[in-house]
Amino acid sequence: MEKVLVFGHKNPDTDTICSAIAYAELKNKIGQNAEAVRLGEVNGETQFALNYFKKDAPRLVEKVASEAKEVILVDHNERQQSADDINEVRVLEVIDHHRIANFETSDPLYYRAEPVGCTATILNKLYKENGVQIEKETAGLMLSAIISDSLLFKSPTCTQEDVDAAKELAEIAGVDADTYGLDMLKAGADLSDKSVEQLISLDAKEFPMGSSKVEIAQVNAVDTNDVLVHKADIEAALSKVIAEKGLDLFLFVVTDILTNDSVAVAIGNEASKVEQAFNVKLDNNQATLKGVVSRKKQIVPVLTEAFAK
């Protein structure tokens, strides 16, 4: 039986890593040969979860076609967010909770996309549907994914299904979701050892919007000033990426996990679209986005609409 690789998007977050691990485990338990891999470095928040539940990170790969003919995508579907050679392999399945864009296949596939806050919430259902018990450590990772994507159930992307799944998974993992979750988010918000280049790439995704190329990066912080004290260097780094990738806009978002507000730094020839989308005025390339915490639900849709006008 040939091996199938399971992986999430580039610049992986906690949902991407933990869902890849959890789904590969499920596949192996039902008799398939699957391996979780990752397309980027593990961030501090995810490493906290892996350490807490004593799980190893999936191994790092840059390309997949040399290792497998077939792959499964979790937590993404857009090709620019996937493996560089994704067009050279067959996508067997997609398990996702994002918009569908830039995705087509030549063969039929299993596609599971639900409007929930986290891929792990869908995986919790898939374990039940397959009659497979979730291991304690794996449940902990799936819980970590839900906490991360929902900002401890405060994000507008969070649904009752996410809350219910988190409750079930916390019981299996033997932890208090709120206490553990806050510790995990704080670990992820400690950016003191990160370079500016790391800050803008830790959780960055590219999106086509109309005829424009947009990249949106997001980091969480306990105090946004801890990040924005490096603003001049951040702007220089954003400008460099814009030139290298031919972007029309790079939006860098710093989210305060305590206030649930964000500060955005917008660089590029389409920076005015940020003003239009959020009804704000950029002051020295910067604006506060009150109540905005979700890139998926509160940033990408309104920006996409602005670019369509």
Side-chain angles (χ1 to χ4, degrees):
M1 184 183 300
E2 291 194 13
K3 181 170 64 178
V4 175
L5 297 182
V6 183
F7 53 87
H9 54 74
K10 295 176 180 176
N11 303 316
D13 57 15
T14 301
D15 188 23
T16 272
I17 295 291
C18 294
S19 287
I21 292 172
Y23 200 40
E25 285 190 10
L26 174 58
K27 286 297 179 183
N28 286 319
K29 286 178 180 291
I30 61 176
Q32 299 182 25
N33 183 13
E35 180 191 3
V37 295
R38 58 186 168 94
L39 302 181
E41 298 303 318
V42 175
N43 66 37
E45 178 189 277
T46 309
Q47 193 60 57
F48 178 91
L50 292 169
N51 291 344
Y52 191 98
F53 293 106
K54 297 179 174 57
K55 284 280 195 175
D56 293 329
R59 64 186 177 89
L60 175 67
V61 300
E62 293 184 359
K63 295 186 177 182
V64 295
S66 61
E67 301 195 33
K69 295 179 180 178
E70 299 175 326
V71 302
I72 294 173
L73 309 185
V74 296
D75 198 34
H76 77 298
N77 66 82
E78 298 189 46
R79 291 186 176 272
Q80 74 277 5
Q81 298 174 9
S82 198
D84 289 339
D85 58 349
I86 191 66
N87 290 326
E88 298 176 30
V89 293
R90 180 185 178 191
V91 178
L92 287 180
E93 300 183 29
V94 176
I95 313 296
D96 194 17
H97 66 124
H98 295 93
R99 71 175 192 175
I100 301 171
N102 298 324
F103 182 82
E104 61 179 24
T105 63
S106 57
D107 299 294
L109 78 162
Y110 179 83
Y111 200 109
R112 182 81 169 253
E114 298 188 19
V116 292
C118 183
T119 308
T121 299
I122 305 171
L123 296 185
N124 188 50
K125 296 181 186 179
L126 285 169
Y127 267 88
K128 293 177 182 178
E129 290 167 11
N130 284 277
V132 176
Q133 178 65 42
I134 304 173
E135 295 179 5
K136 178 179 180 179
E137 295 79 10
T138 306
L141 293 186
M142 293 168 68
L143 169 66
S144 301
I146 296 173
I147 290 170
S148 176
D149 269 11
S150 71
L151 266 185
L152 200 53
F153 318 121
K154 294 177 182 177
S155 171
T157 62
C158 185
T159 68
Q160 188 59 46
E161 289 189 53
D162 298 297
V163 175
D164 294 343
K167 183 178 179 180
E168 294 175 10
L169 293 165
E171 186 172 344
I172 297 170
V175 298
D176 178 82
D178 291 320
T179 301
Y180 165 76
L182 187 57
D183 288 343
M184 185 192 78
L185 290 178
K186 285 183 176 178
D190 181 5
L191 305 170
S192 57
D193 63 338
K194 298 294 186 292
S195 68
V196 167
E197 288 73 22
Q198 288 174 314
L199 284 175
I200 68 170
S201 63
L202 276 172
D203 187 6
K205 292 182 178 179
E206 285 187 39
F207 300 91
M209 296 187 181
S211 59
S212 299
K213 283 180 66 177
V214 177
E215 186 157 340
I216 305 171
Q218 184 175 23
V219 296
N220 293 335
V222 175
D223 184 345
T224 57
N225 290 324
D226 291 343
V227 176
L228 296 172
V229 69
H230 306 292
K231 185 182 172 190
D233 293 332
I234 289 171
E235 289 177 335
L238 297 179
S239 296
K240 182 180 179 182
V241 175
I242 287 172
E244 291 173 349
K245 296 186 176 182
L247 301 174
D248 297 286
L249 170 67
F250 197 135
L251 184 63
F252 179 63
V253 181
V254 187
T255 298
D256 189 318
I257 64 172
L258 301 181
T259 66
N260 293 326
D261 295 329
S262 294
V263 177
V265 177
I267 301 292
N269 57 29
E270 292 285 7
S272 62
K273 294 295 186 183
V274 175
E275 296 180 319
Q276 182 180 335
F278 298 100
N279 194 27
V280 295
K281 184 68 177 176
L282 290 171
D283 182 7
N284 197 20
N285 303 321
Q286 178 178 317
T288 298
L289 308 181
K290 299 292 292 183
V292 172
V293 297
S294 171
R295 175 173 51 196
K296 180 181 71 173
K297 194 164 187 175
Q298 295 175 296
I299 299 176
V300 172
V302 291
L303 256 187
T304 301
E305 184 178 343
F307 273 93
K309 293 179 179 178

